[in-house]
Amino acid sequence: MCAAIAGGALRGASAFGAGSIACHTRNRAAPRVYFFHGMEVFWTPRAKDNKSLVKLLREEGAVKSDRVASVMGKLDRALFIAEGERNLAYMDCPMQIGFNATISAPHMHGSCLELLNKHLQPGMHALDVGSGTGYLTAAFALLVGDQGRAAGVEHIPELVEQSIKNVRRSPAASLLEPGVLSLHVGDGRLGWPEHAPYNAIHVGAAAPQVPQPLIDQLKPGGRMVIPVGEGAQELVVIDKGPDGSLKQWTASSVRYVPLTSKDEQLRGGV
């Protein structure tokens, strides 16, 4: 449900993303523009396939580690996009997935995975708030492995149902049955206490302030990545010390859809 990083992880990207963008490809032979909800615009490269997309993200600096490149290479983004729109899957651009929700731009997936990489080691627990298509939750599950836990929370039941179908088509499918990977209907602002505490928490929508239940469910030594703000927004990283103290810093300026109630989202308050 997220947006584009300020200045763009890819050259030419604007600071804006999910829910309010028009995306242009750099295909000089056949330039195209794809409109979403608003009129902020950025130019974005279009890769021919998932392998090429990950290569592009590495070249442009959104993906730095072999580990993140490997998991993004395994999870073909097209498997998490509606069949009729899969020709757009390899653009570095957010895409609408219905119910006033989006799948993040690939460079944001890469950036958030890099920020959380050390907290997604085998056996660790991860929470994805606003799990949408299930893409990032599946990436978390592959990284924490069969001794870990990756839970996604999404308040739109239809999106949860579709996300499970998406995961079943992916290399993360085998992690569903043993419960390593689970996708739940719920209010993500309340977290998911069942598998807490979490080494890593990712929030895919902007909160006016950090929800206390998420802080409570973050394990000492863990990290949360969450966009914070109304209007002007920052991608905030929160590290919880062994003694429970919190250290907060800003990774970038961003623009996300708001972290809100199900009813507000369905009314179009995004």
Side-chain angles (χ1 to χ4, degrees), residues 10 12 81 96-97 99 116 128 171 179 197 205 208 214 229 231 257 259 262:
L10 301 185
I81 302 293
Q96 292 291 320
I97 60 173
F99 305 95
L116 292 170
D128 184 19
L214 299 184
V257 297
L259 186 65
K262 173 185 175 182

Side-chain angles (χ1 to χ4, degrees), residues 173-185:
S174 64
L175 299 175
L176 279 169
E177 297 309 324
V180 173
L181 193 170
S182 56
L183 295 152
H184 309 275
V185 178

